[in-house]
Amino acid sequence: MSRTAKIAGIAALAGMMMAVAIVAVTRPDEPAPAPALALPAEESQHRLARELDRCATLTMPDSGCEAAWAANRRRFFRQDDVAPAVEHDGGASPSEEGFVP
């Protein structure tokens, strides 16, 4: 590398450092945002949490648990509006119902 290229590289680095310093000095000091408060969950989220707790103790596959895990994944990835609600027969037990958060 030539001496001129080295000088140009150091000048460019110094210019970037100077720009960062100027931005840091001129930027107004803002207080850190307060942490998000835990808001009370809706009843459907409580039902989903209870169902997931129940499913965590099971060793056999359960259709209600599969629906609960799918609802939890949709809620986690914020895909609530993508998956349509599944309709069940009137005689379905709570563990067979699909949970929508």
Side-chain angles (χ1 to χ4, degrees):
M1 240 173 138
S2 71
R3 180 173 183 237
T4 307
K6 288 178 185 179
I7 292 173
I10 290 174
L13 181 63
M16 285 189 288
M17 290 174 59
M18 187 67 112
V20 169
I22 290 171
V23 169
V25 170
T26 60
R27 189 175 192 184
D29 291 334
E30 296 178 8
L37 299 175
L39 300 176
E42 298 175 5
E43 178 60 31
S44 62
Q45 290 177 346
H46 287 301
R47 284 187 291 146
L48 178 62
R50 283 193 308 265
E51 181 70 5
L52 291 174
D53 286 340
R54 183 188 72 81
C55 294
T57 62
L58 296 178
T59 57
M60 298 295 293
D62 182 68
S63 62
C65 290
E66 291 174 10
W69 285 114
N72 192 42
R73 278 191 301 276
R74 281 193 307 272
R75 184 177 62 88
F76 181 78
F77 291 113
R78 297 176 189 244
Q79 298 173 342
D80 293 335
D81 55 347
V82 176
V86 177
E87 295 183 20
H88 290 284
D89 295 344
S93 69
S95 64
E96 294 173 349
E97 292 178 9
F99 287 92
V100 178

